[in-house]
Amino acid sequence: MDDHPEHPVIHDGIFLGYDKNIPLKNEGLGRLLAFVVSGWVQLPNHRLTIACPYWLVKDLQSLLADHGIPDSSYDLLRTKDPWWRTVQLRLKAFERSIRPTVHRYRAWLRGDAIPEHRPIKQHWLERIVTVDFSKLLHSRKWTSVTFEAFKLVAFAVIVFWLLRFIWPAILVLLIAFGIYRLWRKYKKKKSPSQSINPKRSMRKQKRRGRRYAREISRLIKQVNQQQLVNHWLVPTPFWPEANRIAHTKAIVCPDLVLQQFPLRFADPSAEAIYARILTTLQHADRLICYSDFIRTHQLVHGVGLAPEQIQVIGHGQVDLAEHLKLGKSPPSQPEQKQIALEFLRSYQRASLARNPYWSRYSWDRGDYVFYSSQARGQKNILSLLRAIEILRHRPIEPIRLVLTCQRSPGSDIDLFVSQHRLDPWVLFANDVSNQVLASLYCWAAVAVNPTLFEGGFPFTFTEAFSVGTPSLLSDIPMVKEKVQDPNLIQRMIFDPLDPQDIASKTQWAVEHPEELLAMEKELFDSFPTWQSVALSYSNSLRSFGIDRSKQ
């Protein structure tokens, strides 16, 4: 029905089943989702619907808004908020609405005068409690004075009558709550090692799993009951429940990193996650991945799937220059640099004021290497830190390192930085905005990506090139699929397990940025736009629907 001439609008859907506490903004899959959606909503005669559980709505809208995607450009199919969440949201809304009134009463009790030139809109509660007696005394109708006085007296009587009966209960609750808080504080101080109860954690995890299963079942039921969107894209294989979608669907498998590096993910929960992924893949009708290596070596040879059911759709260009514009027209290169510098200085004042090494760092005078990634085993951040340690002892201009990962206390990264005293040389700028991220790329001497494994071509290349920064990439199959020029391979690609090679390539790139940038221009132009990538997804869903209907 969607492709009939009488119905020119093509309806596609994206199914999301992320659990609570998944930070979409900081995850690579979340950013990839925003890129795909940004291209999908620009397709002519296409309308996109996103299905997700209720707990994901706020984070999803915030993620898409950060990438310039308004709520009106897509439809949202979501589950209903439970009653307790509805009550919670209404209480929060009520608290926000009376907050100005509470602040005014506090100011009045402190003796602070309210500015007369600022008209203040009264809350309904304040209108009941307070009475403008001067206005009442000058009123022409005595009935209004009587009515307002009656309301005030009635309200006071009701309040005192309620307090007469419920004040003992309120007093008991306050005492019990105070005793409970003191007991919890004493218990944690007495036995901090036993503050985490394994049995309680297991019961909590089981309840969370049952809640998740119920909510996803409701979401899938809504997806199956509606008939407007008959083609769905599932962006990850983490949700085997998505196989219950009755409409045409394609499941995206970014990578199987657990299969590639089993020892780096030797965690009790990793086995259960990998089992869910295999269940999803083995029951899927159609799969999409980002590179030929994932298709051939992992899905076909590793899992045993048929190659004809897997389609490769690569990434598009990530343009961070959009976040360095003050108006609608793109700025020139010097103007872009100045805008980025102001963003970095603002970030420096807000977040690095207490950092003794980076609070006064001159972004426009020093050279630093930039790597945007989370701290995961396959990201190989330790090799990059070893390369910075090597460069620190060479007789060259100092080269620092800026990372967007979090420095977790006791981790390998934290111990290496502490043991080698690299705090003046390494900055951990985690959880930054898109403007600060683009600015860090813009002023970096070179973007270095030492990853050992990726599902597709690394995002860091197009992110850096879009703001005029060259890149260095590790020698992995996903990179070699796109980089074919021998000269570019020699200058741009390094051995990720050899810190000496990383240091040498980084030093050359810092000294010859323009030359490396010119060599990477053709590679950057070979990437399609995200609008073309989204069209490939949409066409893949429909071609699969035609093939299945013929069977």
Side-chain angles (χ1 to χ4, degrees):
M1 293 292 294
D2 294 335
D3 299 328
H4 196 273
E6 296 180 0
H7 304 276
V9 178
I10 299 174
H11 294 276
D12 295 318
I14 296 179
F15 178 88
L16 301 178
Y18 290 107
D19 203 350
K20 284 185 176 181
N21 303 322
I22 301 295
L24 292 180
K25 288 185 178 181
N26 298 333
E27 296 291 329
L29 293 179
R31 298 186 63 223
L32 175 60
L33 172 67
F35 296 148
V36 174
V37 172
S38 65
W40 218 312
V41 298
Q42 296 177 12
L43 293 176
N45 301 327
H46 281 70
R47 187 66 184 177
L48 181 64
T49 299
I50 303 178
C52 66
Y54 69 87
W55 58 70
L56 202 64
V57 173
K58 186 176 180 180
D59 290 340
L60 176 65
Q61 291 176 340
S62 177
L63 170 70
L64 299 181
D66 284 347
H67 287 77
I69 307 172
D71 297 344
S72 59
S73 61
Y74 59 91
D75 299 321
L76 200 60
L77 180 64
R78 49 162 295 178
T79 56
K80 186 179 179 181
D81 288 326
W83 66 268
W84 54 266
R85 180 172 172 82
T86 304
V87 173
Q88 183 184 27
L89 293 176
R90 289 182 179 179
L91 289 176
K92 287 184 178 180
F94 174 75
E95 189 272 335
R96 286 194 297 267
S97 64
I98 68 173
R99 192 178 299 168
T101 302
V102 174
H103 289 331
R104 284 197 293 273
Y105 278 121
R106 287 179 177 176
W108 177 72
L109 291 174
R110 290 194 303 263
D112 298 337
I114 301 177
E116 298 180 356
H117 64 278
R118 291 181 58 187
I120 300 176
K121 184 179 179 181
Q122 284 188 320
H123 189 264
W124 64 269
L125 184 61
E126 189 177 10
R127 290 197 299 269
I128 294 177
V129 177
T130 60
V131 181
D132 192 347
F133 290 100
S134 61
K135 183 177 180 181
L136 290 177
L137 293 175
H138 292 86
S139 177
R140 295 181 180 180
K141 295 183 179 181
W142 66 269
T143 55
S144 62
V145 179
T146 305
F147 182 69
E148 292 294 337
F150 176 77
K151 282 199 306 180
L152 180 61
V153 172
F155 180 79
V157 169
I158 292 174
V159 170
F160 283 111
W161 182 79
L162 289 175
L163 290 177
R164 178 185 176 186
F165 292 99
I166 66 175
W167 74 265
I170 296 175
L171 182 61
V172 170
L173 289 175
L174 290 175
I175 294 174
F177 181 73
I179 294 174
Y180 173 75
R181 291 296 300 270
L182 291 174
W183 175 75
R184 286 292 300 268
K185 187 176 182 180
Y186 172 76
K187 186 178 179 181
K188 287 184 178 180
K189 187 179 295 185
K190 185 177 180 181
S191 56
S193 61
Q194 299 178 359
S195 59
I196 299 177
N197 191 331
K199 292 184 178 180
R200 184 180 299 175
S201 299
M202 291 179 63
R203 289 195 297 267
K204 184 177 180 181
Q205 187 175 2
K206 288 182 179 180
R207 290 195 300 267
R208 183 177 179 179
R210 289 194 295 267
R211 171 196 50 81
Y212 176 81
R214 288 195 302 267
E215 204 63 28
I216 292 299
S217 297
R218 295 191 186 103
L219 181 61
I220 292 176
K221 184 178 180 180
Q222 290 182 246
V223 171
N224 291 336
Q225 286 177 348
Q226 61 83 36
Q227 298 299 324
L228 181 63
V229 183
N230 296 319
H231 304 84
W232 290 87
L233 180 73
V234 183
T236 72
F238 295 136
W239 315 310
E241 299 85 358
N243 286 318
R244 302 204 302 266
I245 296 177
H247 303 291
T248 301
K249 58 185 177 297
I251 296 176
V252 180
C253 181
D255 58 62
L256 295 177
V257 68
L258 297 177
Q259 180 190 102
Q260 195 75 13
F261 300 100
L263 295 180
R264 290 178 179 262
F265 296 91
D267 185 83
S269 62
E271 185 176 356
I273 295 175
Y274 190 61
R276 287 175 58 87
I277 293 175
L278 289 182
T279 302
T280 306
L281 299 178
Q282 291 169 354
H283 293 84
D285 298 323
R286 180 75 167 181
L287 292 171
I288 297 175
C289 60
Y290 306 141
S291 63
D292 291 326
F293 179 86
I294 300 298
R295 177 190 181 191
T296 304
H297 293 272
Q298 291 200 328
L299 298 180
V300 176
H301 296 162
V303 182
L305 302 177
E308 57 269 13
Q309 71 177 118
I310 308 171
Q311 182 177 357
V312 177
I313 300 178
H315 298 325
Q317 289 183 2
V318 181
D319 187 9
L320 291 182
E322 293 292 326
H323 302 293
L324 299 179
K325 294 194 306 184
L326 296 181
K328 294 184 178 181
S329 58
S332 61
Q333 188 68 19
E335 293 174 342
Q336 185 183 80
K337 284 278 190 179
Q338 187 61 35
I339 295 171
L341 184 60
E342 293 302 322
F343 277 128
L344 289 179
R345 288 173 176 172
S346 177
Y347 167 74
Q348 195 174 31
R349 290 190 297 268
S351 302
L352 304 180
R354 297 183 179 181
N355 191 316
Y357 307 109
W358 291 84
S359 58
R360 298 183 179 180
Y361 177 72
S362 298
W363 303 96
D364 54 340
R365 295 181 183 179
D367 292 327
Y368 67 90
V369 173
F370 185 56
Y371 182 31
S372 176
S373 173
Q374 296 295 321
R376 296 189 176 125
Q378 78 276 16
K379 298 303 182 179
N380 197 29
I381 296 178
L382 277 178
S383 293
L384 185 56
L385 289 173
R386 293 188 177 97
I388 294 299
E389 171 67 11
I390 293 172
L391 292 173
R392 187 165 72 98
H393 294 89
R394 290 186 180 180
I396 58 173
E397 290 295 326
I399 299 176
R400 302 194 184 193
L401 173 63
V402 177
L403 301 170
T404 58
C405 66
Q406 188 173 6
R407 182 178 177 178
S408 302
S411 63
D412 295 339
I413 296 175
D414 177 60
L415 294 177
F416 186 90
V417 172
S418 300
Q419 291 173 1
H420 294 269
R421 300 179 181 179
L422 290 177
D423 292 280
W425 302 84
V426 181
L427 171 66
F428 293 88
N430 62 301
D431 197 20
V432 295
S433 64
N434 288 328
Q435 289 82 5
V436 176
L437 179 67
S439 302
L440 288 172
Y441 268 116
C442 184
W443 278 101
V446 61
V448 181
N449 191 331
T451 181
L452 299 176
F453 186 80
E454 293 289 338
F457 200 90
F459 283 141
T460 57
F461 169 73
T462 55
E463 287 176 339
F465 194 94
S466 64
V467 291
T469 301
S471 294
L472 296 177
L473 300 175
S474 55
D475 187 0
I476 57 176
M478 300 77 179
V479 173
K480 285 294 190 67
E481 288 181 14
K482 292 284 292 184
V483 182
Q484 304 293 334
D485 185 3
N487 295 327
L488 186 58
I489 292 175
Q490 181 182 0
R491 292 300 188 186
M492 179 184 181
I493 297 179
F494 55 83
D495 183 1
L497 298 178
D498 186 1
Q500 291 285 351
D501 190 26
I502 301 176
S504 299
K505 294 289 179 65
T506 301
Q507 181 179 348
W508 183 89
V510 170
E511 295 173 353
H512 306 83
E514 297 297 333
E515 181 179 347
L516 182 58
L517 197 66
M519 296 174 65
E520 295 174 345
K521 178 67 168 61
E522 185 177 354
L523 177 63
F524 178 80
D525 294 337
S526 66
F527 284 85
T529 63
W530 285 107
Q531 187 173 352
S532 301
V533 173
L535 183 61
S536 299
Y537 281 120
S538 181
N539 293 338
S540 177
L541 293 175
R542 273 160 175 76
S543 63
F544 171 62
I546 296 174
D547 295 340
R548 192 176 68 169
S549 64
K550 293 180 181 179
Q551 294 179 355

